[in-house]
């Protein structure tokens, strides 16, 4: 269910000409989070790693709510 939904959203909002660049920009922070968590797994433990993942997911949800609350641009400014 996740991958079809993401594919649909990606095709709707990301232009094909910039798709590769935009995806790679978002891939870099994700890989840094994964690498840093794996390097610190001895100190964090399994429970700490899961708590860190939950905290990052919470931050992502809060960012999504902020984006959702922003007013949509109507495009009328472009015509002027």
């Amino acid at each position: 269910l996740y991958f079809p939904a993401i594919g649909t959203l990606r095709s709707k909002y990301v232009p094909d000409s910039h798709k590769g660049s935009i995806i790679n920009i978002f891939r870099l922070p994700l890989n840094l989070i994964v690498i840093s968590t794996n390097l610190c797994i001895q100190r964090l433990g399994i429970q700490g790693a899961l708590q860190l993942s939950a905290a990052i997911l919470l931050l992502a949800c809060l960012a999504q709510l902020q984006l959702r609350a922003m007013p949509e641009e109507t495009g009328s400014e472009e015509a002027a």
Side-chain angles (χ1 to χ4, degrees), residues 44-64:
L44 292 173
I46 298 297
Q47 184 177 359
L50 292 174
Q51 288 173 345
L52 179 62
S53 297
I56 292 171
L57 183 60
L58 178 65
L59 286 174
C61 288
L62 292 174
Q64 181 181 6

Side-chain angles (χ1 to χ4, degrees), residues 6-76:
I6 290 299
T8 302
L9 290 173
R10 188 180 296 153
S11 67
K12 182 177 179 181
Y13 293 110
V14 180
D16 288 335
S17 61
H18 297 86
K19 192 175 289 192
S21 299
I22 292 173
I23 290 172
N24 284 331
I25 288 171
F26 284 102
R27 194 175 289 162
L28 180 66
L30 177 63
N31 287 338
L32 290 175
I33 291 169
V34 170
I35 289 170
S36 61
T37 303
N38 282 332
L39 289 175
C40 297
I41 196 77
Q42 293 296 325
R43 277 187 275 158
L44 292 173
I46 298 297
Q47 184 177 359
L50 292 174
Q51 288 173 345
L52 179 62
S53 297
I56 292 171
L57 183 60
L58 178 65
L59 286 174
C61 288
L62 292 174
Q64 181 181 6
L65 289 174
Q66 286 289 91
L67 286 173
R68 191 173 182 204
M70 293 176 66
E72 290 187 29
E73 294 181 20
T74 58
S76 60

